[in-house]
Amino acid sequence: MGWLKQLFHWNYVLCVSMVGWFAAQVLKTIINAVLLKELKLERMWGAGGMPSSHSATVCALVVATGRAYGTSSPFFALAFLLAAIVMYDAQGVRRETGEQAKVINRMLTDWMDEGAKTAPMLADKKLKEMVGHTPFEVWAGALLGVAIGFAIPVML
């Protein structure tokens, strides 16, 4: 247990943020396995899904920074702005990218059914569809990150 305290003492804010990311990825893998009745280890490092590990990471970062350096510090301001941008992007731009990938994949599948013989190198090409988050997934990740940020005592 001493090594854990030493690790958090080394860089408290970074470690709390990484715990937020790890907890979200583990939860995402478990939730995905329960819903699909199949364990996909790719969910441990993959983007998209419930809860948002992006949100959990940056919200844990914000809380840890605020607790360690105060909410009036420039560090807190930077962490807060970063969190706002990351969460906006996760449920906006990145989510739209996934929706576009679904449409393009459908078009490719339909096209390849007809023309697979003329372009075999494209037969297995698929765009990643799960890259963004719904607002619910983002807020669930945010709540997880805030909870983790408050749960881990300040070790400076």
Side-chain angles (χ1 to χ4, degrees):
M1 201 62 162
W3 67 270
L4 192 59
K5 188 172 184 177
Q6 223 174 8
L7 180 67
F8 276 91
H9 186 71
W10 167 73
N11 193 325
Y12 170 74
V13 173
L14 177 62
C15 290
V16 170
S17 302
M18 295 307 295
V19 169
W21 170 83
F22 185 75
Q25 291 300 109
V26 168
L27 279 172
K28 184 186 301 188
T29 303
I30 292 169
I31 290 169
N32 194 66
V34 169
L35 292 177
L36 300 179
K37 296 177 180 33
E38 172 186 6
L39 179 63
K40 292 186 176 184
L41 289 180
E42 181 273 334
R43 300 308 312 140
M44 270 304 292
W45 57 85
M50 166 70 177
S52 166
S53 58
H54 292 87
S55 295
T57 304
V58 294
C59 285
L61 171 74
V62 168
V63 172
T65 303
R67 292 181 73 203
Y69 300 104
T71 56
S72 61
S73 72
F75 304 119
F76 178 81
L78 287 171
F80 184 84
L81 290 174
L82 175 70
I85 291 167
V86 167
M87 291 190 309
Y88 175 80
D89 183 62
Q91 68 183 350
V93 177
R94 292 180 66 243
R95 183 169 181 220
E96 281 302 313
T97 301
E99 294 300 315
Q100 291 172 2
K102 288 177 188 175
V103 172
I104 292 170
N105 284 342
R106 172 63 74 107
M107 290 168 56
L108 276 174
T109 299
D110 293 346
W111 177 67
M112 290 313 298
D113 287 346
E114 296 172 15
K117 293 177 181 109
T118 60
M121 73 293 250
L122 296 176
D124 293 330
K125 298 290 182 190
K126 293 285 183 193
L127 296 173
K128 188 170 179 166
E129 296 177 4
M130 189 177 266
V131 291
H133 297 282
T134 65
F136 180 74
E137 292 168 345
V138 168
W139 289 107
L143 290 174
L144 176 64
V146 168
I148 287 170
F150 280 115
I152 298 174
V154 178
M155 295 182 200
L156 293 177

